[in-house]
Structures are given as structure tokens and as C-alpha cells.
Amino acid sequence: MKNKWKVILFSSTGILMILVVVAATYINNVGYNNIKLMYKLNTTEVSIVQMDEEGHYLALRENSNELLRDRMEREGWQFQQQEGSGYFFDKDNKEAVVTTKIWNRNYVIYQVNDNVANIADE
């Protein structure tokens, strides 16, 4: 009976260690800051968050194309056309290109060229 508890304790400790290693690997691959941003998107009313100062934004994948158009129009940019993952906008005889990339299956990353518009909720 005593050995049975030792086996259970040893097995539980082993499983816990495996879970910690898997979690650490996931955080290392995704990035701690990105996990915070993903959490914010899933637990608040925020739709788009800024990832860095270079024009990268993160959003949930659902309705991402319409959301991008709405945000750029909010900033005064008019949608012109889409070519693949690139969206072209005009404002005051200037052109902006926003590229999209599906990331981590449930999210999309927007890259606003030259960071000409802040499309985040914040």
C-alpha cells in the first residue's frame, strides 16, 4: 500500500513537470508579451492591440478584414483595393499598404507600412 502512494506521487510529479515544460516551451515560442496581448483580446472588449512601435497590430481572426477597413476609415484612409494579403488605402494623395498575416490560427497580424495610422483601440 505504501509503494502505491509512492508510485502515484512520482507519477503526479512527472506529469506536472511535463506540463511545466510544455507551458514554458509554448511561452518561449509565442512570446510572453504576445500571450499578454492574446489574453487581452480574449478577455476584454478590445478588438485590435498594438504589438510594437513599428506598425504591427494583433486582432482576433474573425471579421478581421472588415475590422481593418473600419479602422483605416476611422483614421481618414479610403479603401482602394485588395491584392492578396495587401490592402491599399488613400488619404490626401498618399498611399498606405496594410498587409495581413494569419498567426497562431486564431489571430491576424496587421503590418501598417510606415505606421501611418494607429488602428489599435487604445
Side-chain angles (χ1 to χ4, degrees):
M1 189 81 152
K2 211 175 197 184
N3 288 335
K4 180 179 178 183
W5 286 109
K6 285 183 181 179
V7 170
I8 291 173
L9 180 62
F10 184 72
S11 298
S12 299
T13 304
I15 291 171
L16 182 61
M17 290 181 72
I18 290 171
L19 290 175
V20 168
V21 168
V22 168
T25 302
Y26 181 76
I27 290 170
N28 186 44
N29 286 337
V30 173
Y32 179 70
N33 189 51
N34 292 337
I35 289 176
K36 291 190 311 186
L37 296 175
M38 291 162 48
Y39 180 77
K40 186 173 188 176
L41 287 171
N42 285 295
T43 59
T44 65
E45 296 296 317
V46 173
S47 300
I48 301 177
V49 292
Q50 189 170 6
M51 296 178 77
D52 57 32
E53 298 296 324
E54 296 158 8
H56 292 97
Y57 298 86
L58 183 67
L60 290 171
R61 187 173 171 191
E62 62 184 60
N63 300 322
S64 59
N65 298 341
E66 294 83 15
L67 183 60
L68 172 62
R69 288 183 184 182
D70 290 344
R71 292 304 167 84
M72 289 298 285
E73 287 179 8
R74 177 188 80 183
E75 296 294 316
W77 294 89
Q78 297 300 314
F79 175 73
Q80 297 303 314
Q81 66 182 7
Q82 175 188 358
E83 291 183 22
S85 65
Y87 292 79
F88 295 83
F89 298 88
D90 284 336
K91 175 182 175 181
D92 301 330
N93 295 325
K94 296 178 186 172
E95 183 178 72
V97 179
V98 180
T99 55
T100 60
K101 179 171 82 171
I102 296 172
W103 180 71
N104 223 9
R105 192 174 62 232
N106 297 321
Y107 301 92
V108 63
I109 295 177
Y110 302 115
Q111 167 63 51
V112 180
N113 72 317
D114 298 328
N115 205 13
V116 295
N118 183 350
I119 59 174
D121 285 329
E122 304 157 346

